[in-house]
Amino acid sequence: MTDYDKLHEENHKITELANILTLLLSDRALCDSEVTCELFFRYVDKVNNHLLQTDSALYAKLLAAGDQKSRNLVDRFAGGSQEINRLFRSYTKKWCKMRSKTLRISDYDDFMRETREVFQMVLNRIQDETEHLYPAVRQANSS
């Protein structure tokens, strides 16, 4: 399985977790459950790992193509990765106790608003990868 096939498969897992968590977290009583927290932190780990893998596995292949279009695409995705990482770190720092793998929700409405925004940001990134990054890597590999 190629790198982008693995990453594409990981995208499906991230999307599935986001969909399940959206339902679970919409019920305030379930936010503190062990199962919800386990799924939430699985999501956090998968997103962080996915961004790292994308950076390390695909950008070099595109840069090796040597054309300006590929370099521009790498610059765009690398910049996006930095911004997503920054926002994701800020989000998890605010709402998560990383050591105990629990959520600390002081304002449920604010938590849900930010959670929806973060989930949507990640899903937008996944869609962008699928529509732009993976096809460019396939094309660079076939050249």
Side-chain angles (χ1 to χ4, degrees), residues 27-57:
D27 182 344
R28 176 61 180 107
L30 294 175
C31 290
D32 298 322
S33 80
E34 185 178 330
V35 171
T36 302
C37 288
E38 190 277 320
L39 290 173
F40 184 87
F41 284 93
R42 187 185 311 174
Y43 172 82
V44 168
D45 291 342
K46 284 196 179 297
V47 169
N48 285 327
N49 289 334
H50 179 78
L51 291 171
L52 281 171
Q53 290 173 356
T54 301
D55 290 356
S56 65

Side-chain angles (χ1 to χ4, degrees), residues 50-114:
H50 179 78
L51 291 171
L52 281 171
Q53 290 173 356
T54 301
D55 290 356
S56 65
L58 300 183
Y59 297 163
K61 291 178 182 180
L62 278 175
L63 291 173
D67 62 280
Q68 188 60 43
K69 184 178 176 184
S70 294
R71 283 192 296 277
N72 290 343
L73 189 63
V74 169
D75 288 344
R76 185 176 69 128
F77 272 91
S81 290
Q82 289 176 343
E83 183 65 7
I84 290 170
N85 279 322
R86 184 186 68 75
L87 292 170
F88 205 66
R89 271 192 312 273
S90 174
Y91 169 80
T92 55
K93 184 176 180 180
K94 180 176 182 179
W95 299 111
C96 302
K97 292 181 184 178
M98 298 306 281
R99 285 189 179 161
S100 62
K101 301 272 188 193
T102 58
L103 295 170
R104 59 170 179 235
I105 303 169
S106 54
D107 180 340
Y108 176 72
D109 292 333
D110 192 33
F111 169 74
M112 281 308 299
R113 181 188 54 75
E114 286 189 33

Side-chain angles (χ1 to χ4, degrees), residues 4 19 21 28 53 57 67 77 79 82 90 117 125 133 141:
Y4 49 84
N19 291 336
L21 283 166
R28 176 61 180 107
Q53 290 173 356
D67 62 280
F77 272 91
Q82 289 176 343
S90 174
E117 289 172 3
R125 169 59 182 240
L133 185 61
N141 284 344

Side-chain angles (χ1 to χ4, degrees), residues 110-127:
D110 192 33
F111 169 74
M112 281 308 299
R113 181 188 54 75
E114 286 189 33
T115 298
R116 285 186 194 100
E117 289 172 3
V118 165
F119 284 9
Q120 191 58 54
M121 173 185 66
V122 171
L123 291 173
N124 288 344
R125 169 59 182 240
I126 286 171
Q127 181 177 354

